Amino acid sequence: MKERLFSDKVFYRKLVHLTAPIALQSLMLASVAAADAVMLGSVAQNSMSAVSLATQIQFIQNMILTSVVAAAVILGAQYWGRGDVRTVNDIFCMSLRYCGVTSILFFIGCVFFPRYLMLIFTNEEELIVIGIRYLRIAGWSYLLTGISQCYLAVMKISEHASQTARISSGAVIINIVLNAVFIFGLFGFPAMEVQGAALATLIARIVELLWCVVCSYRKGYIRPDWSRFFKKNKLLAADFRKCMLPLLGASLFWGVGFTSYSAFMGHMGMDATAANSVAAVVRDLICCLCNGISSGGGILVGNELGAGNLKKARLYGDRLMKLAFLCGALSTVIMLAVTPLVLRFVRLTDGAQKYLMGMMVIMAVYMIGRAVNTVIINGIFAAGGDTIFDMYSLAVTMWGIAIPLAAAGTFLLDWPVLVVYACTCLDEVGKIPWVMIHFKKYKWVKDLTREMGDS
């Protein structure tokens, strides 16, 4: 079995070429949250907790942006495999329109109505006040995030994945350095604490977008054809919506549901909120590998489907499925291995430390489901346009099981914090059998491209 799985050197060379930079990009983005947690945690536990809750707003925005960008990657990868660059450009412009509207709406909410947004996640006035200070500055960065994501997505599918890693890594390094400068008041700057973290994020997003735009003018890169920016292609728009709407439904199901988990912890006290904030950062760091395999593998499968190589695409999907389980097992081992280091490194109250230790052990089991579902659902299924399955599975496992149990435990039954936390992890593990049954039906082996002509 091992020899069959790792025998195709061409496949793994392509996979590593895509996965490594995407995983690095994911790691660097997660590192910003880690830096925020460490730096703000060293200033005050409540500052760290408040920013963790406030950034759930951006998390929801990213769910919408991700669904748009994912649809662009799904269709774009297939048309790139077909060699139709003009249609890839039209997809690029379409995604920019959707992401631009979304970014404006979230900017308005965060800058003008931050108190109402913070009240969703906590009833602690101190956390609300700190969160408001953060959102009023960070909200300006939400105007730029979606545009940058569109540029980076098109770079990935057009064989410039390594450049996306350089751009994201550079922006993250700037963000982390400026975090330190503005939070602690280095080099003569005033100590701004949470406002400093927000300002660092804004500057990093500005640099990232400018870098993307400059790169798009290089030879071999794709930049928006502004003469066709508002041109409507009914067939392509219908195909885009067919991919995007189920992804949007699934993203909102998952995003709002996942955010509600933070809200449950936020209503269980400051120690539970702080422990959950740290656990979330560790989870996101360890998930970078499965995120990379999912995105890179999905592009590989999509290229083959768009080129009409359905048998090879199915073979690639089978290999990625096996890699998903290996990735899950590795993630579990890493989670358990880093637990003592995290407990020793982060400064928390005794109660928060106790909660964090239990959360890390629970997450070790959760990581198996997270890795398998991320690679198979977001990578393999999505590559062939099989995007509606995720929405159905989330409706049952997250909204039908995990959220009702966690909500009941938080607000009605007064369950212990770790029992409620375990309920929030049920959905990923519970989906695995259902995912595997659907995988074996091979509905995802589908060429989505069509002849666009000169429209």
Side-chain angles (χ1 to χ4, degrees), residues 407-421:
T410 301
F411 300 111
L412 299 177
L413 304 176
D414 197 27
W415 284 348
V417 169
L418 292 180
V419 174
V420 173
Y421 187 81

Side-chain angles (χ1 to χ4, degrees), residues 33-351:
D36 281 349
V38 171
M39 293 181 194
L40 290 172
S42 67
V43 173
Q45 178 175 301
N46 287 348
S47 293
M48 178 188 69
S49 301
V51 170
S52 176
L53 293 174
T55 53
Q56 296 303 309
I57 310 299
Q58 187 183 24
F59 179 75
I60 296 175
Q61 181 200 25
N62 282 339
M63 291 301 99
I64 300 174
L65 297 178
T66 298
S67 66
V68 175
V69 171
V73 169
I74 291 166
L75 286 177
Q78 291 213 10
Y79 278 103
W80 183 262
R82 183 187 174 106
D84 188 346
V85 178
R86 187 173 189 176
T87 301
V88 172
N89 202 307
D90 287 344
I91 292 168
F92 189 1
C93 292
M94 199 177 303
S95 63
L96 283 171
R97 294 197 298 270
Y98 281 114
C99 287
V101 171
T102 301
S103 297
I104 290 170
L105 293 175
F106 275 83
F107 159 75
I108 292 172
C110 290
V111 173
F112 298 103
F113 308 103
R115 169 169 287 275
Y116 298 103
L117 295 178
M118 285 301 298
L119 282 169
I120 297 172
F121 303 106
T122 183
N123 52 5
E124 299 281 352
E125 182 62 22
E126 185 177 352
L127 298 184
I128 291 170
V129 171
I130 296 171
I132 289 171
R133 296 206 304 266
Y134 178 85
L135 285 174
R136 281 189 170 145
I137 298 174
W140 290 90
S141 72
Y142 301 168
L143 277 172
L144 312 176
T145 305
I147 311 303
S148 300
Q149 285 192 21
C150 292
Y151 274 90
L152 293 170
V154 171
M155 286 183 196
K156 289 175 191 174
I157 62 175
S158 57
E159 301 176 14
H160 297 294
S162 58
Q163 183 61 33
T164 68
R166 283 191 286 271
I167 293 172
S168 293
S169 300
V172 165
I173 291 170
I174 291 170
N175 199 334
I176 292 173
V177 171
L178 291 181
N179 264 348
V181 171
F182 295 145
I183 290 173
F184 300 119
L186 305 180
F187 306 113
F189 286 91
M192 301 170 65
E193 298 188 7
V194 294
Q195 292 100 319
L199 181 59
T201 298
L202 174 58
I203 294 172
R205 294 289 78 76
I206 293 171
V207 171
E208 182 180 60
L209 179 56
L210 289 175
W211 197 343
C212 286
V213 172
V214 170
C215 282
S216 71
Y217 281 87
R218 292 180 183 174
K219 185 178 179 181
Y221 285 73
I222 296 176
R223 60 182 181 273
D225 183 349
W226 301 113
S227 67
R228 295 173 62 85
F229 188 75
F230 292 106
K231 188 175 180 63
K232 293 185 177 180
N233 182 325
K234 291 184 179 180
L235 287 176
L236 184 62
D239 289 344
F240 193 91
R241 287 193 298 271
K242 189 175 180 180
C243 285
M244 183 189 72
L245 290 177
L247 285 169
L248 179 58
S251 290
L252 290 175
F253 267 169
W254 188 78
V256 175
F258 215 74
T259 302
S260 73
Y261 296 160
S262 294
F264 297 149
M265 292 296 110
H267 284 83
M268 298 194 81
M270 292 187 181
D271 282 349
T273 302
N276 183 60
S277 300
V278 176
V281 169
V282 178
R283 177 199 66 221
D284 291 344
L285 287 170
I286 295 177
C287 282
C288 293
L289 178 58
C290 69
N291 292 341
I293 294 174
S294 171
S295 298
I299 291 171
L300 266 186
V301 173
N303 287 164
E304 298 301 332
L305 291 171
N309 302 324
L310 302 188
K311 288 186 178 179
K312 183 179 282 189
R314 176 170 167 164
L315 175 64
Y316 282 5
D318 286 337
R319 288 176 182 160
L320 288 168
M321 178 269 293
K322 295 171 184 174
L323 287 175
F325 280 94
L326 289 176
C327 180
L330 179 61
S331 298
T332 295
V333 172
I334 293 173
M335 182 66 73
L336 293 173
V338 302
T339 296
L341 297 175
V342 173
L343 291 170
R344 191 173 302 126
F345 189 71
V346 180
R347 292 174 55 189
L348 298 172
T349 65
D350 290 342

